Amino acid sequence: EGAQTARSNTSCRFHVAYHGCHQGEEEINTTFVRHAGYNRWAEANQIVVLYPQARRTALNPNGCWDWWGYTGPDYASNVGLQLRAVRRMVETMAEG
């Protein structure tokens, strides 16, 4: 739940903001990041926002986060491909 920043002993919190289908950077650039409202809220509350990206593929032509199983049978569990990747991102950020 918190991490120490590298420059000080101030702790911060994380929020992961998952974009919707057709809302990844490859389709709408930084529009989601700039206009979803998370940045203003996060800055006011000392929260770091992570914006992971789901990419378009042949199995995922709309660039959606996996809610139907295209990444495998564990897609909705904490061992699913995407959730493991996001967890690693959060852990890396927490290490500072």
Side-chain angles (χ1 to χ4, degrees), residues 18-21 53-55 57 59-60 62-77 79-83 86:
Y18 293 93
H19 62 75
C21 299
Q53 299 292 298
R55 301 276 181 193
T57 66
L59 295 174
N60 181 29
N62 298 323
C64 304
W65 287 96
D66 192 359
W67 51 270
W68 70 91
Y70 73 85
T71 59
D74 294 326
Y75 72 97
S77 75
V79 297
L81 179 69
Q82 289 179 339
L83 294 179
V86 172

Side-chain angles (χ1 to χ4, degrees), residues 9-96:
N9 270 343
T10 305
S11 67
C12 62
R13 295 174 290 168
F14 290 115
H15 180 80
V16 178
Y18 293 93
H19 62 75
C21 299
H22 296 288
Q23 292 183 331
E25 184 184 25
E26 67 184 343
E27 291 196 48
I28 63 169
N29 232 341
T30 59
T31 300
F32 177 74
V33 172
R34 288 184 293 116
H35 297 290
Y38 295 110
N39 294 338
R40 185 173 52 249
W41 163 77
E43 187 168 342
N45 293 285
Q46 296 182 317
I47 297 170
V48 174
V49 181
L50 173 66
Y51 293 95
Q53 299 292 298
R55 301 276 181 193
R56 288 182 294 181
T57 66
L59 295 174
N60 181 29
N62 298 323
C64 304
W65 287 96
D66 192 359
W67 51 270
W68 70 91
Y70 73 85
T71 59
D74 294 326
Y75 72 97
S77 75
N78 63 357
V79 297
L81 179 69
Q82 289 179 339
L83 294 179
R84 276 191 329 221
V86 172
R87 180 186 211 136
R88 283 193 307 269
M89 290 176 206
V90 170
E91 289 170 349
T92 298
M93 291 178 70
E95 292 170 0

